[in-house]
Amino acid sequence: MVKVNNNFQKLPGGYLFPEIGRRTRAFQAENPPKSIIRMGIGDVTRPLAPAVVEAMVKASREMGKQETFRGYCEETCGAYDFLRFAIRDSYRERGVEIADDEIFVSDGAKSDCGNIGDIFDRDNVVAVCDPVYPVYVDTNAMAGRAGDYDGERWTNLVYLPCTAENGFFPALPERVPDMIYICSPNNPTGAAATKEQLKVWVDYANEHGSVILFDSAYEAFITEPGIPHSIFEVEGAKTCAIEFRSFSKSSGFTGNRCAYTVIPKALIRDGVSLRDMWNRRMGTKFNGVPYVIQRAAEAALSPEGREQSMESVRYYLNNAKVIREALSGAGLTVYGGVNAPYIWCGTPNGMGSWEFFDRLLREACVVTTPGAGFGPSGEGYVRLTAFGTYENTCEAMERIKKMLSRQHFLEDLPVCFAHSLRSHTQQT
Ligand code: PLP
């Protein structure tokens, strides 16, 4: 009889978002007339840039003509030169030299973050930030690298706590990991690492022969000067890092599906080029992103496409500002939202993150994401996203402010916090 991959049985029941969906649907079923505002899942809402749409239409017409029809993409790394060159040039603009055959185009950073495990041994020690984008954890659990789940943690993972005390950037751990996931700007905390912070990890990885798996899916949201958009802006990174990037959030491609992974040729482990291994893996298991989508991605990197896409990024960042100001004005502690579309909001004085989630749902009809769903250090926080419409964002903030100022809400809270909330509410 066939044996299944038993690691799947170890995964805790239900991924975070299905559970949020379940609670939201149950609430909606009990309260049909109430309009719920979703600030939980990180999907974009703004349409594609006109330059991108134009490129897709043009490419679709090419596909309908004998002379310009394209089948499998047979070029290097599963991507057409035009797109790899455009990506290479976008790195060059920030002073980073990446060869075009170090760039691998795919259908998503989620797939790449998960699939990259194919080229690593099962016995590697994996480090993840805590809280963390759950894909890094679950994919390693499926591969058998995480050990067993004890109800809160995986026994073989090295957890790197990211807390208010360390500015949501991890310190070096005692146990040396082989694979280190770092996401900056961060989902869920919204924190963005400085060059100095990343340099510590780059030096550490080079010293110990580890590999940093750097997810910069949100680099387009960086507004502060001096924050690196790529790990390859940090000296020494080419011998220890793999970078994942995506068009999803920078150009609204969550439905289009296009991303890329950069593996420098200088990255050698066990005497083997990781770039060559990934090339082999992609050639075997992937037949490339559709031509129409590659043309769309190329257009997103054109000056016109970039400016149009950045309009949406600025729109979301303005929502982030509205959220930050409203929540901090109401007496809550907020982080993120400056270099990222995520706001990491402390719950009122020690309230559990699922409890605060439920109360925001039931009393304000606003869906957030409980921080505990991202890892043990996420307890005491909820994540809000800035990807909604401006109108919904403002309405959600009004509802939350009202909820926090309601007498019964204050009565449930410890006295000292209720006092501070009351004084904040009186000011606004
Ligand atoms: N990486 C991070 C940190 C994300 O938050 C997300 C999506 O939410 C992704 C990767 C997935 O990107 P893609 O849409 O390219 O699969």
Side-chain angles (χ1 to χ4, degrees), residues 22 67 129 147 180 194 209 282 285 290 311 320 361 369 373 390 392 402:
R22 196 189 61 73
E67 319 79 73
C129 291
I180 303 158
T194 63
M282 291 294 269
K285 291 196 184 179
E311 251 176 62
L361 175 60
T369 315
Y390 175 72
N392 275 350
K402 239 185 238 159

Side-chain angles (χ1 to χ4, degrees), residues 146-227:
D148 295 308
Y149 190 65
D150 70 6
E152 194 180 54
R153 290 161 198 274
W154 290 88
T155 50
N156 278 357
L157 292 184
V158 173
Y159 286 86
L160 308 169
C162 294
T163 60
E165 290 70 42
N166 62 18
F168 300 102
F169 190 77
L172 298 175
E174 272 171 32
R175 183 179 178 202
V176 179
D178 304 301
M179 298 159 61
I180 303 158
Y181 287 85
I182 297 179
C183 175
S184 177
N186 191 265
N187 176 12
T189 67
T194 63
K195 221 179 237 189
E196 294 68 33
Q197 286 175 318
L198 292 175
K199 178 83 173 112
V200 171
W201 280 94
V202 164
D203 290 346
Y204 178 83
N206 278 323
E207 184 189 337
H208 294 283
S210 315
V211 171
I212 296 174
L213 300 162
F214 189 76
D215 186 342
S216 61
Y218 297 97
E219 60 83 24
F221 290 81
I222 294 172
T223 57
E224 290 181 321
I227 300 287

Side-chain angles (χ1 to χ4, degrees), residues 218 245 372 382:
Y218 297 97
R245 286 237 184 137
V382 292

Side-chain angles (χ1 to χ4, degrees), residues 42 108-111 133 136 183 187 215 217-218 246 248-249 257-259 342:
K110 184 176 191 172
S111 329
Y133 176 52
Y136 316 145
C183 175
N187 176 12
D215 186 342
Y218 297 97
S246 174
S248 281
K249 308 298 163 75
R257 310 309 303 145
C258 195
Y342 297 117

